Amino acid sequence: MAAVSVSGTWPGLAHPAPGQHSAAPILIGMDGEFSLQNSRSAQAVEMGIRCALDEIERRGGVLGGRRFELVTRDHGSIAARGIRNLREFAAMPGLLAVFAGRFSPVVLEEMDLIRESRTLLMAPWSSADAIVDNGMRPNYVFRLSLRDSLAMPRLLQSCAARGLHSVGLLLTNTGWGRSNHAAARAWSAAHATPRIVGTAWYNFRDTSLLEPYRALLEAGAQAIVLVANDDEAAVLVREMAALPATQRVPLFSHWGVSGGDFVGQAGPALWEVDFNVIQTFSFFRARPAAWRRFVAAARPRYGIERPEQIAAPVGVAHAYDLMHILALAVERAGSAERPRVRDAMEQVRDYDGLIKRYPQPFTPMRHEALDQSDLLLARYRAADGALVPVDAARKPS
């Protein structure tokens, strides 16, 4: 995909002197699942990066006028391709950092190469705990996204809040599923309710999830906590809709479903199932000033006018804020050298972002920019398929 040259400054930063824009661009890589059928997550992350970069470009550049240039690569959700792409990025002259895509299993397979090459990895989606809890000293991975050990407690608490005290776990048999299994077990060990009555596993690209679903019902599950992407979740929803209403229990889903065309794949069956999905942010709840700033960047390039137009919204918002924080770190470092920018990422302060105001997004001991207070549950709206908070569907104004 074509690269776009962009750059940025903030209030108080000097504008570039004539001729300074001729300095070599700072390259930003993106390794995502662009070619995966029905997926929208890589495109969402790219949108967030490009909107941030367009904004930065209008403000005049970093380091006195240097541009950023985005370079994208497709791994199609295949780990071997991701490793190949990352190796290429790591060796690319002028490359500062790589943004990862949606799939935790791909990113987990890349961690040895990240450690070896000391490539800065920005994680705007993938949620497996081990991506950040990787044992690196210093740690070159920074995540502005959900974390499984935050997601699972919130999903389980949401079941209990609705009086659903016996819960089954339906998990993908991948590193992402195992990460969530560990998080659920850790939380359950310290809490009496809801009680996890069983765990069922399925494999990537399974064409039916009915057998493990029924096994959890037979174990007494009043609700299912689902860890799935859009394809498998849509399969389950269609199968559940064909069952008698008495055999359809509420689903509380991890957010992988929001990275693809889940509504289109599930079809009318979705409106027959009580389906809830965890999110970290909703454009329907964006602060008015932050929304206007984002739309000013998104409208010229993508024609965005309303939240309903934004597919895979968390990917857009996370990447947008994370790119701005990375650019602020470049300014703080006074350099585009990876080790110096890595250190500066831990020192950025007082960034007023799209998702929230960040007093200090990252610290030497914390490479997670979001926390439990950022989480919310959402549902797909029947009128237009938009993903809206369960308790409100207010547009930003």
Side-chain angles (χ1 to χ4, degrees), residues 45-395:
V45 171
E46 182 183 14
M47 178 189 291
I49 297 170
R50 290 198 185 279
C51 287
L53 293 181
D54 285 350
E55 225 173 76
I56 296 166
E57 170 75 4
R58 289 196 301 272
R59 292 173 182 170
V62 291
L63 304 179
R66 287 186 68 182
R67 300 173 295 115
F68 286 108
E69 192 169 289
L70 181 62
V71 183
T72 65
R73 293 289 184 271
D74 173 40
H75 62 55
S77 81
I78 298 172
R81 292 181 185 171
I83 293 170
R84 178 199 64 198
N85 293 341
L86 190 60
R87 185 171 289 113
E88 179 183 341
F89 279 133
M92 196 175 289
L95 185 118
L96 172 62
V98 176
F99 279 71
R102 177 182 13 157
F103 293 100
S104 288
V106 174
V107 181
L108 290 169
E109 290 294 324
E110 296 173 337
M111 295 312 298
D112 286 344
L113 184 53
I114 291 291
R115 183 179 291 106
E116 174 190 332
S117 64
R118 296 198 168 193
T119 299
L120 270 170
L121 186 71
M122 305 290 110
W125 197 307
S126 47
S127 62
D129 285 18
I131 291 170
V132 171
D133 300 348
N134 51 48
M136 292 184 204
R137 297 292 183 271
N139 194 349
Y140 272 71
V141 180
F142 294 84
R143 177 159 53 196
L144 197 158
S145 181
L146 186 54
R147 175 183 171 94
D148 291 337
S149 55
L150 294 179
M152 266 294 161
R154 180 55 184 269
L155 290 167
L156 292 166
Q157 290 165 353
S158 297
C159 293
R162 286 184 48 182
L164 304 167
H165 299 299
S166 298
V167 174
L169 305 179
L170 184 50
L171 310 175
T172 175
N173 189 18
T174 65
W176 181 38
R178 291 185 287 276
S179 175
N180 278 280
H181 187 231
R185 291 181 63 186
W187 192 86
S188 183
H191 298 83
T193 185
R195 183 170 62 96
I196 298 175
V197 297
T199 301
W201 300 86
Y202 68 90
N203 293 315
F204 182 60
R205 297 297 192 189
D206 273 358
T207 57
S208 174
L209 277 67
L210 193 56
E211 183 176 342
Y213 173 78
R214 279 179 162 153
L216 294 173
L217 292 190
E218 291 170 5
Q222 299 171 312
I224 302 294
V225 172
L226 175 67
V227 175
N229 287 304
D230 45 294
D231 294 338
E232 290 84 7
V235 168
L236 176 61
V237 164
R238 292 194 302 268
E239 291 180 319
M240 286 178 62
L243 296 173
T246 55
Q247 296 179 31
R248 300 179 219 151
V249 300
L251 294 178
F252 291 80
S253 177
H254 210 309
W255 68 355
V257 299
S258 65
D261 184 20
F262 173 63
V263 175
Q265 293 180 86
L270 181 56
W271 320 123
E272 304 299 321
V273 175
D274 182 349
F275 192 91
N276 310 271
V277 58
I278 196 167
Q279 298 279 276
T280 53
F281 173 73
S282 171
F283 280 94
F284 289 96
R285 285 183 174 173
R287 293 171 294 139
W291 167 253
R292 288 192 296 268
R293 187 171 65 241
F294 172 79
V295 169
R299 183 187 294 115
R301 183 181 285 274
Y302 294 102
I304 298 296
E305 298 282 355
R306 304 183 310 280
E308 295 90 334
Q309 296 173 287
I310 302 171
V314 292
V316 177
H318 292 174
Y320 175 88
D321 275 359
L322 191 52
M323 184 62 236
H324 273 298
I325 292 167
L326 179 60
L328 287 167
V330 171
E331 284 294 335
R332 178 174 281 269
S335 167
E337 296 175 10
R338 293 177 199 170
R340 293 178 64 178
V341 175
R342 192 220 72 84
D343 292 348
M345 286 286 290
E346 299 174 342
Q347 300 163 13
V348 171
R349 294 180 183 273
D350 301 321
Y351 167 56
D352 188 9
L354 172 60
I355 295 173
K356 64 179 182 178
R357 295 181 178 93
Y358 302 80
Q360 188 172 3
F362 303 105
T363 73
M365 300 302 295
R366 175 180 52 76
H367 280 209
E368 304 276 5
L370 303 182
D371 59 34
Q372 192 78 27
S373 67
D374 299 304
L375 305 186
L376 60 103
L377 280 188
R379 295 176 66 92
Y380 289 96
R381 190 165 60 189
D384 55 10
L387 190 57
V388 299
V390 294
D391 57 348
R394 181 178 60 84
K395 283 188 180 181

Side-chain angles (χ1 to χ4, degrees), residues 2-64:
V4 170
S5 299
V6 284
S7 53
T9 64
W10 291 260
L13 193 64
H15 288 288
Q20 286 186 307
H21 277 292
S22 62
I26 302 167
L27 301 185
I28 302 297
M30 186 197 161
D31 180 36
E33 50 287 331
F34 288 98
S35 64
L36 184 65
Q37 186 177 14
N38 295 316
S39 181
R40 297 172 175 176
S41 48
Q43 291 82 355
V45 171
E46 182 183 14
M47 178 189 291
I49 297 170
R50 290 198 185 279
C51 287
L53 293 181
D54 285 350
E55 225 173 76
I56 296 166
E57 170 75 4
R58 289 196 301 272
R59 292 173 182 170
V62 291
L63 304 179

